[in-house]
Amino acid sequence: MKIKNNAPVTVGFVLACCLVLVLNAVSNNKLMPYFVTYRSSLTDPFTYIRLFSYILGHADLSHLTSNMTFILLLGPMIEEKYGSKKLLKMILITALIGSLLNTLLFSNQALCGASGIVFMMIVVSSITSVRHKEIPLTLILVFVFFIGKEIYSAIFEQDSISQLTHIAGGFCGAYFGMKK
């Protein structure tokens, strides 16, 4: 029996995130500034790289494993349904929207991790068979549970998690899933 890489974008993304965590640990956190997004000078070329690279950086092993678990569960199914190129495009667009929102709305908050990508994947995966002029009940329930919790947390809780990025990821997922 041989092993087949059934989801190259998903597996590649997970491996890249793991590599960044290991290299950052070995470098004594010297690499982390390249894997967070925050408001910085538009003349700094790394500003543009960080608009995407922040999704590869994670604060610690717990942060990484929680995101990668969801990505490994949902990514292959999405990649099979939509294709590798389309999944990569979804990831990059969601990353860009999340980083732009964070940069524009939160001047003093750095953002790292793939939680927005996870929320996008959760919502995309809840849209399995969209018919003309019909909204799947599962999509509504996902929004109530996952996005509703993030909206509640953004209003009533003070923590270091960017709920706005999660919400944006969810809306990106709804757009990608309904667009087909």
Side-chain angles (χ1 to χ4, degrees):
M1 189 174 294
K2 72 179 196 176
I3 296 174
K4 178 185 180 226
N5 186 356
N6 62 322
V9 169
T10 301
V11 172
F13 182 76
V14 169
L15 291 175
C17 291
C18 292
L19 182 63
V20 167
L21 185 75
V22 168
L23 291 176
N24 189 50
V26 170
S27 74
N28 222 11
N29 287 329
K30 286 184 174 53
L31 291 179
M32 200 56 178
Y34 301 105
F35 296 98
V36 295
T37 187
Y38 53 87
R39 187 177 295 175
S40 59
S41 172
L42 295 177
T43 60
D44 178 4
F46 284 109
T47 296
Y48 304 100
I49 294 169
R50 286 189 298 262
L51 290 174
F52 300 96
S53 67
Y54 79 96
I55 62 175
L56 301 175
H58 289 80
D60 55 33
L61 186 59
S62 175
H63 185 211
L64 176 84
T65 56
S66 65
N67 281 337
M68 295 309 107
T69 300
F70 275 105
I71 288 170
L72 285 169
L73 286 170
L74 301 171
M77 175 180 49
I78 295 167
E79 198 163 346
E80 183 179 316
K81 181 175 181 177
Y82 295 97
S84 297
K85 286 181 185 177
K86 194 153 188 176
L87 176 59
L88 180 59
K89 196 172 174 182
M90 289 178 195
I91 290 169
L92 294 174
I93 291 170
T94 303
L96 180 62
I97 290 171
S99 62
L100 289 175
L101 285 172
N102 186 71
T103 300
L104 295 172
L105 300 176
F106 302 104
S107 63
N108 61 347
Q109 184 174 355
L111 177 68
C112 73
S115 300
I117 306 305
V118 167
F119 273 76
M120 177 269 293
M121 287 184 170
I122 288 170
V123 175
V124 168
S125 68
S126 72
I127 303 171
T128 54
S129 57
V130 176
R131 290 182 170 53
H132 185 65
K133 294 185 180 181
E134 292 180 355
I135 298 173
L137 178 60
T138 54
L139 175 62
I140 295 168
L141 292 173
V142 165
F143 261 81
V144 168
F145 286 107
F146 286 95
I147 305 302
K149 179 204 172 290
E150 293 306 309
I151 292 170
Y152 174 85
S153 295
I155 295 169
F156 296 110
E157 297 175 9
Q158 294 295 328
D159 61 19
S160 62
I161 299 171
S162 175
Q163 287 85 12
L164 183 61
T165 305
H166 298 169
I167 294 165
F171 278 101
C172 285
Y175 174 76
F176 296 139
M178 297 295 277
K179 180 182 168 203
K180 278 193 171 184

